[in-house]
Amino acid sequence: MSRDTARKVLEIEAKAILDLLPRVDASFDRAVEALFGCPGRVVVTGMGKSGLIAQKVSATFASTGTPSLYLHPVEAVHGDLGRIVKGDVVLAVSYSGDTAEILGLVAAVKRLGSPLLSLTGNPRSALAAASDVHLDVSIREEACPLGLAPTASTTAALAMGDALAMALIERRGFTVEDFAVLHPGGRLGKKLLRVEDVMHTGEEVPRVRLETRMKDVLFEMTRKRLGVTTVVDDGGRLRGILSDGDLRRQMERHGPGVLDRTAEECMTPQPVLVGRRELATAALDLMEARKITALVVTDADGRVDGIVHLHDLWKTEMI
């Protein structure tokens, strides 16, 4: 019985979202343009369950490049109207479109000259009529067996809010790099770390000269504990790299005499590089594709800037 109820709820809510597709029309385009052209913030408001949806929509806007805040309609008429300033756009969420607390804001919003957008389930409601742009999020039925609890209606409003936010991402040309700036914390933030955030720099970077003997190369690799060392010229520019694997291959080829050879004779020239502003996940993909454990970072002049090691990426827990 419970499973049947659950399936019925999901069917009704899925249908409510699919019914929105024909309503993504010219009004939707006008809403996107109003939001895109907003020189201030998008102030999202709603009461009750619609207020919770409004908070989520506002949070999605803010996290995807559209400055936004949530305004509680009751608090607004008790002093918080000052949160709305000239240049803001107001987006009101109300399924009935006749919520008294929301309608109480309309006059103030109009007085400020802020464009008013709305999501309602009643295109003939007072809020819809007062709006500069209205988006219809009406549903056929709620998923609640009693037909009372907001379920499909809040799902439809949330989906339309997400549609607006995602359309704005494309309209703004919002990138993964922009997203990373706004999400520095948590597991998502770890996935958006850049190479410069995890690479070894300064004295942590193993360096030897072209003429350095392999016995001293081995000492530098052991001391810095990265399993590799960069090989640089007199100007500090990268000329090659030596890894544990290179050393083993040289030992197989030359025996103990390899320790008297130079770094230049044993190094791998033109090693794989990565930019310091690349996402760390891209560096990881490159290491896995090339079956290597470290990548060198250089500056514009080819000087060694750092090294990012596979173990450093593992420790971030982004995998």
Side-chain angles (χ1 to χ4, degrees):
M1 185 66 175
S2 296
R3 292 182 185 179
D4 291 339
T5 300
R7 293 188 183 100
K8 184 65 174 177
V9 168
L10 295 176
E11 287 174 1
I12 292 173
E13 296 206 4
K15 180 62 175 174
I17 293 176
L18 291 174
D19 284 346
L20 297 178
L21 289 174
R23 303 176 212 162
V24 180
D25 52 19
S27 292
F28 184 87
D29 293 338
R30 289 196 301 274
V32 171
E33 288 306 310
L35 295 168
F36 176 72
C38 173
R41 301 143 318 162
V42 177
V43 179
V44 191
T45 188
M47 190 69 190
K49 302 300 187 294
S50 290
L52 297 176
I53 297 303
Q55 290 180 56
K56 193 278 178 182
V57 170
S58 177
T60 301
F61 282 150
S63 70
T64 53
T66 298
S68 180
L69 60 87
Y70 168 72
L71 178 64
H72 194 290
V74 175
E75 299 297 333
V77 297
H78 288 278
D80 279 4
L81 266 176
R83 294 177 184 268
I84 306 176
V85 299
K86 193 173 181 62
D88 290 347
V89 170
V90 176
L91 173 62
V93 183
S94 167
Y95 188 72
S96 71
D98 290 316
T99 305
E101 294 85 353
I102 299 293
L103 293 179
L105 295 179
V106 171
V109 171
K110 293 295 184 179
R111 190 162 55 248
L112 289 168
S114 296
L116 176 61
L117 284 56
S118 65
L119 304 180
T120 85
N122 184 2
R124 291 178 295 278
S125 64
L127 179 59
S131 298
D132 298 289
V133 183
H134 170 257
L135 297 180
D136 180 4
V137 291
S138 60
I139 59 168
R140 300 182 185 210
E141 59 179 323
E142 293 286 9
C144 170
L146 302 177
L148 298 174
T151 46
S153 58
T154 49
T155 297
L158 179 59
M160 188 64 83
D162 285 343
L164 287 170
M166 298 307 103
L168 279 169
I169 281 183
E170 290 193 341
R171 188 72 174 82
R172 293 186 189 285
F174 195 75
T175 65
V176 171
E177 288 72 20
D178 297 324
F179 197 80
V181 170
L182 298 176
H183 296 77
R187 189 169 183 84
L188 180 58
K190 291 174 182 176
K191 287 182 177 292
L192 296 172
L193 285 172
R194 298 185 186 279
V195 167
E196 65 185 357
D197 297 321
V198 296
M199 72 182 188
H200 296 268
T201 60
E203 291 301 313
E204 295 180 358
V205 178
R207 290 180 177 87
V208 297
R209 306 286 283 276
L210 290 163
E211 64 274 15
T212 303
R213 296 292 174 182
M214 285 299 292
K215 59 184 177 181
D216 295 319
V217 169
L218 181 58
F219 175 74
E220 177 72 352
M221 290 172 64
T222 302
R223 189 166 68 93
K224 298 297 177 65
R225 299 182 178 182
L226 291 179
V228 297
T229 183
T230 59
V231 182
V232 299
D233 61 19
D234 293 341
R237 289 178 289 273
L238 182 69
R239 296 293 299 276
I241 193 170
L242 274 162
S243 68
D244 290 335
D246 292 326
L247 183 58
R248 286 194 299 272
R249 286 186 287 273
Q250 290 292 326
M251 287 288 290
E252 291 171 0
R253 189 177 305 165
H254 301 287
V258 71
L259 296 179
D260 292 320
R261 293 171 65 82
T262 65
E264 184 175 18
E265 293 174 306
C266 301
M267 71 184 187
T268 297
Q270 299 178 331
V272 182
L273 305 179
V274 66
R276 65 181 298 135
R277 294 292 294 165
E278 288 285 340
L279 290 175
T281 49
L284 177 62
D285 289 343
L286 186 55
M287 288 184 203
E288 291 178 339
R290 301 296 290 268
K291 294 181 172 56
I292 55 180
T293 59
L295 295 170
V296 182
V297 182
T298 59
D299 63 18
D301 296 320
R303 295 185 181 86
V304 175
D305 216 8
I307 283 184
V308 58
H309 195 278
L310 182 62
H311 291 165
D312 301 315
L313 301 180
W314 284 344
K315 285 189 290 187
T316 66
E317 301 179 359
M318 69 179 186
I319 303 169

